[in-house]
Amino acid sequence: MEGVTVVDHPLVARHLSVLRDRATPSGVFRQRLSEAAMLIGYEALRDLRVERVDVDTPLETTAGARLADDIVVIAILRAGLGMVDGFLGLMPEARVGHLGMYRDEQQLSPVGYYESVPEHGPEAEVVLVDPMLATGGSAASALRRLKERGARRLRFICLVAAPEGLEAVRVQHPEVPIFCAAVDDRLDERGYIRPGLGDAGDRLYGTD
Ligand code: PRP
Ligand code: URA
């Protein structure tokens, strides 16, 4: 699908298998999600803009690079939190915002309950993270809110996406690139991604 990149890499696939496994305990789930996020992020951020800086090596001055733009990582609570450490491992200088949202399990529509987004200019790279893209309601609503707050350079990074959710987000936000580790088969009647990995927030935090 146009605008959607599936990060097809053996190291990501190996983490994803452990994350899918119902026997994986919360502690391991957290660690694997963080590592998978770092690997997906590495691929998803390869077009970040850099600017040239001079670097003094012990022997002479040479050309170096630093990130040109302010980077803001936005986690959709709760499950998106599990991806933040991986991103901060890649870019310790990034600032982090939070959008609290849960899915109304009857309507399957997102309900916002918290918002903390660092002030940034229109040039900032705003990276929205949430491991699960199911109906796409949460991601589409978060992207809309971030645009209202002035974000112009957005990308969305998840782990597992349903085809229905990808389509919905692409229709509403066609200019936002999406990166994931897998596009699964379908959504079931309860709005779960199949085969999926279950409820990511519950598995991260041991709730149910
Ligand atoms: C999950 C997931 C996404 C959302 C995806 O959150 O982390 O935010 O569902 O579903 P959608 O694409 O249909 O909107 P959930 O509502 O379970 O909250 P939690 O992360 O706090 O568990
Ligand atoms: N949210 C999840 O955590 N998992 C799903 O399969 C769908 C929504």
Side-chain angles (χ1 to χ4, degrees), residues 56-142:
D56 297 325
T57 78
L59 302 174
E60 61 182 284
T61 300
T62 188
R66 71 171 169 220
L67 296 181
D69 300 304
D70 192 14
I71 313 284
V72 182
V73 177
I74 306 287
I76 300 182
L77 303 180
R78 289 175 301 165
L81 271 185
M83 299 176 76
V84 170
D85 277 357
F87 276 79
L88 291 178
L90 290 172
M91 304 173 298
E93 65 274 60
R95 294 184 297 146
V96 180
H98 302 92
L99 290 176
M101 264 175 209
Y102 68 88
R103 270 197 332 174
D104 176 304
E105 292 301 334
Q106 258 67 52
Q107 307 296 323
L108 297 182
S109 53
V111 181
Y113 61 86
Y114 182 71
E115 184 169 311
S116 169
V117 175
E119 291 300 324
H120 60 76
E123 291 302 302
E125 288 282 355
V126 180
V127 183
L128 179 66
V129 299
D130 186 333
M132 309 307 278
L133 177 61
T135 64
S138 303
S141 165

Side-chain angles (χ1 to χ4, degrees), residues 26-48:
S26 282
V28 177
F29 191 95
R30 275 197 292 279
Q31 186 189 350
R32 294 296 189 132
L33 179 57
S34 178
E35 287 174 22
M38 185 184 280
L39 293 168
I40 301 167
Y42 176 79
E43 195 57 36
L45 300 171
R46 69 164 56 244
D47 65 340
L48 286 185

